Amino acid sequence: MSKLHAVITGVGGYVPNYRLTNEEISTYVDTSDEWITKRIGIKERRILKPEEGIGITYLAEKALDNFKLKHTFNPLEIEAVIFATSTPDYILPNSASLIASKTGMTNAFGIDVNAACSGFLYGLEVAESFIASGKYKKIMVFAGDVLSCVTDITDRNTYPIFADGCGCAILEPTTEDVGFIDSILRSEGNVEHLHMYGGGSVNPASHESVDERLHFIKQDGKIVFKHAVSSMADTCDELIKKNNLSKEEVTWVVPHQANLRIIDAVANRLGIPIDKVMINIEKYGNTSAGTIPLCLWDWEDKLRKGDNIILTAFGAGFTWGATYIKWGYNPK
Ligand code: UT7
């Protein structure tokens, strides 16, 4: 491949220290460790304890610290920061600008991307386009959420699933046969089955919106489950065929971590053995935009230059898609 395109040249990640176990959750809502383990596949998730002034950019800063443990980093070289999140520090200013200032990326402009659990794929797409244009040479993509701040402790449909975490990836140009190869991204406006109605321009924050618990995510789990399986499996299948890849040539599938049964069903439909699927839901839960970069961070030492990797996600919007990358480097 001689066309200019983007390649990931490093990843980082961070999850908060506090481990919220299924046992602790069972003291708040009518559920059990057995049910959550069997039906969702989560044993524990990490939660940012509500402390003043700490939100998603705190997790991003820590993710960047972990990135720097393995990769050289000059903040002044970064030209753009893309932050995929649905739980920014504030409605405004955006979180990309805040993390850029906090970490010395003062030559960069920053934009937030809101695509819920598909945020990392959407963020990569933007970064790839910027780099392929020839105008930008170093872009930092952050993706993550602090879902604990929008999860209702009285709702057993959501409370056991959602968690906090953030990952990051740096993208640079290449003309080698590695990096971003292709993607299929989709969205469909659906405010019915997965939403948070409060806090936007339709239902600004008010005493009533708080009383009605509109500032929490609500979902129709069964419907979201079915859409997630078919949407991720179909886009992966289309992408694999479009790029003439055989199932055997796929080194890794990296799915959004929402429910182990969703991940199993997607792998089954694709005919990809489960040992080629990255899974860390049991320890981190569903960190929304954070799940895919957190997997890449966890698996970084096992990845080899040239590995064929299919990333796939589904989330509120609905938003979904699949992205095909060839890994760009060997472990350091
Ligand atoms: O990140 C993207 C967005 N989110 C997702 O992708 C999540 C998609 N959905 C899911 O993961 C699942 O639908 C849930 C985990 C939310 C729910 O699992 P489910 O297997 O679809 O449960 P269900 O709603 O069909 O309920 C089955 C049973 C019911 O009891 P009965 O009627 O069979 O007696 C529920 O009342 O399980 C009961 N139940 C629970 N029991 C203990 C539902 N939630 C719980 C719970 N603990 N937390």
Side-chain angles (χ1 to χ4, degrees):
M1 187 186 276
S2 58
K3 194 168 85 45
L4 189 66
H5 60 286
V7 60
I8 294 176
T9 54
V11 289
Y14 180 76
V15 289
N17 292 327
Y18 190 78
R19 293 165 192 266
L20 178 61
T21 61
N22 292 346
E23 285 77 12
E24 185 180 342
I25 286 187
S26 310
T27 66
Y28 307 130
V29 285
D30 181 14
T31 190
S32 65
D33 174 44
E34 191 195 352
W35 194 93
I36 299 171
T37 306
K38 197 165 151 213
R39 304 297 294 173
I40 310 177
I42 301 174
K43 291 301 284 183
E44 62 178 31
R45 67 292 286 141
R46 303 298 187 91
I47 298 297
L48 192 61
K49 284 290 188 183
E51 291 171 46
E52 198 171 324
I54 295 180
I56 186 63
T57 65
Y58 171 82
L59 301 189
E61 209 176 341
K62 294 283 192 182
L64 189 59
D65 285 345
N66 284 335
F67 170 95
K68 286 190 248 175
L69 295 176
K70 285 192 182 166
H71 305 280
T72 50
F73 177 70
N74 178 351
L76 297 175
E77 287 177 359
I78 305 297
E79 297 157 303
V81 176
I82 297 165
F83 206 136
T85 186
S86 309
T87 48
D89 279 5
Y90 311 102
I91 298 283
L92 57 97
N94 70 21
S95 293
S97 304
L98 292 177
I99 188 66
S101 296
K102 275 187 183 186
T103 57
M105 297 187 274
T106 48
N107 292 321
F109 71 95
I111 51 169
D112 282 11
V113 169
N114 179 345
C117 305
S118 307
F120 185 65
L121 301 194
Y122 280 47
L124 278 187
E125 188 82 7
V126 176
E128 153 67 9
S129 308
F130 282 180
I131 284 176
S133 76
K135 191 167 176 188
Y136 300 99
K137 296 199 168 45
K138 273 199 181 159
I139 299 185
M140 218 50 222
V141 176
F142 292 89
D145 276 289
V146 180
L147 288 181
S148 60
C149 71
V150 287
T151 306
D152 187 347
I153 197 168
T154 67
D155 180 6
R156 72 174 182 174
N157 271 317
T158 51
Y159 195 64
I161 300 174
F162 295 142
D164 306 340
C166 187
C168 64
I170 190 166
L171 286 101
E172 300 181 55
T174 185
T175 50
E176 268 190 71
D177 184 24
V178 290
F180 193 103
I181 308 291
D182 199 5
S183 61
I184 299 172
L185 300 184
R186 300 269 186 268
S187 64
E188 172 197 307
N190 179 322
V191 289
E192 211 185 325
H193 302 303
L194 183 50
H195 55 77
M196 190 180 91
Y197 283 145
S201 48
V202 173
N203 300 302
S206 64
H207 288 293
E208 290 73 28
S209 71
V210 172
D211 290 345
E212 290 165 24
R213 307 185 85 75
L214 297 187
H215 299 275
F216 294 121
I217 302 176
K218 301 234 167 13
Q219 69 167 346
D220 194 335
K222 266 189 187 321
I223 292 179
V224 175
F225 189 110
K226 278 188 196 151
H227 277 80
V229 172
S230 55
S231 303
M232 286 195 282
D234 289 352
T235 42
C236 285
D237 195 46
E238 195 182 332
L239 189 64
I240 288 170
K241 285 188 179 131
K242 189 174 160 216
N243 287 279
N244 298 316
L245 272 179
S246 70
K247 301 283 158 71
E248 292 68 33
E249 285 169 321
V250 174
T251 325
W252 294 104
V253 173
V254 191
H256 171 50
Q257 315 276 308
N259 185 316
L260 187 57
R261 288 184 297 130
I262 295 178
I263 296 171
D264 278 339
V266 170
N268 263 332
R269 284 199 189 193
L270 290 174
I272 304 269
I274 205 71
D275 59 358
K276 286 182 158 193
V277 181
M278 291 187 195
I279 301 171
N280 59 13
I281 188 172
E282 73 288 349
K283 58 178 181 173
Y284 298 154
N286 179 350
T287 58
S288 188
T291 61
I292 293 176
L294 284 174
C295 277
L296 295 175
W297 176 56
D298 265 358
W299 265 260
E300 189 182 19
D301 287 342
K302 297 197 181 81
L303 299 176
R304 297 287 177 275
K305 189 170 181 179
D307 281 355
N308 290 310
I309 305 180
I310 305 289
L311 315 173
T312 185
F314 179 89
F318 294 137
T319 58
W320 70 96
T323 300
Y324 169 26
I325 59 172
K326 263 185 196 280
W327 198 244
Y329 57 96
N330 289 318
K332 309 219 155 143

